[in-house]
Amino acid sequence: MGILTWIIFGLIAGAIAKAIHPGKDPRGWLVTIIIGIVGAFIGGAIGTYVLGWGDVDSFWSPRSWLLAIGGSVLLLFIYSMLTKK
């Protein structure tokens, strides 16, 4: 159930991350969703292995949302820096 939950978190977190990280954005919605999903996995891995917070306990857990959105914003920032012209 954890992987499916992080995918759902990622779909929503990608949209929230795009709203948090505004600016000229040539990427489409598909790239934003992919960044959100991968960012949620990264946030989940950081929460589980680095912070020791454990796995996703609930879809409504504020800690899980914080990790998913934080990972997505981090990945979106890195992606923006790498693709900057």
Side-chain angles (χ1 to χ4, degrees), residues 16-38:
I16 294 172
K18 189 171 183 172
I20 291 173
H21 190 268
K24 189 175 181 183
D25 191 11
R27 298 173 295 272
W29 59 272
L30 185 61
V31 174
T32 302
I33 289 172
I34 292 170
I35 286 176
I37 292 171
V38 174

Side-chain angles (χ1 to χ4, degrees):
M1 186 68 178
I3 291 175
L4 181 61
T5 305
W6 282 114
I7 289 173
I8 294 169
F9 277 152
L11 292 172
I12 299 167
I16 294 172
K18 189 171 183 172
I20 291 173
H21 190 268
K24 189 175 181 183
D25 191 11
R27 298 173 295 272
W29 59 272
L30 185 61
V31 174
T32 302
I33 289 172
I34 292 170
I35 286 176
I37 292 171
V38 174
F41 276 105
I42 290 171
I46 289 171
T48 301
Y49 301 113
V50 176
L51 300 176
W53 285 357
D55 204 357
V56 177
D57 9 11
S58 171
F59 187 76
W60 302 110
S61 170
R63 178 180 61 201
S64 297
W65 282 104
L66 177 70
L67 290 173
I69 294 169
S72 298
V73 169
L74 176 67
L75 187 60
L76 187 61
F77 175 74
I78 292 170
Y79 182 78
S80 295
M81 295 306 281
L82 292 175
T83 59
K84 198 175 203 179
K85 293 182 180 180

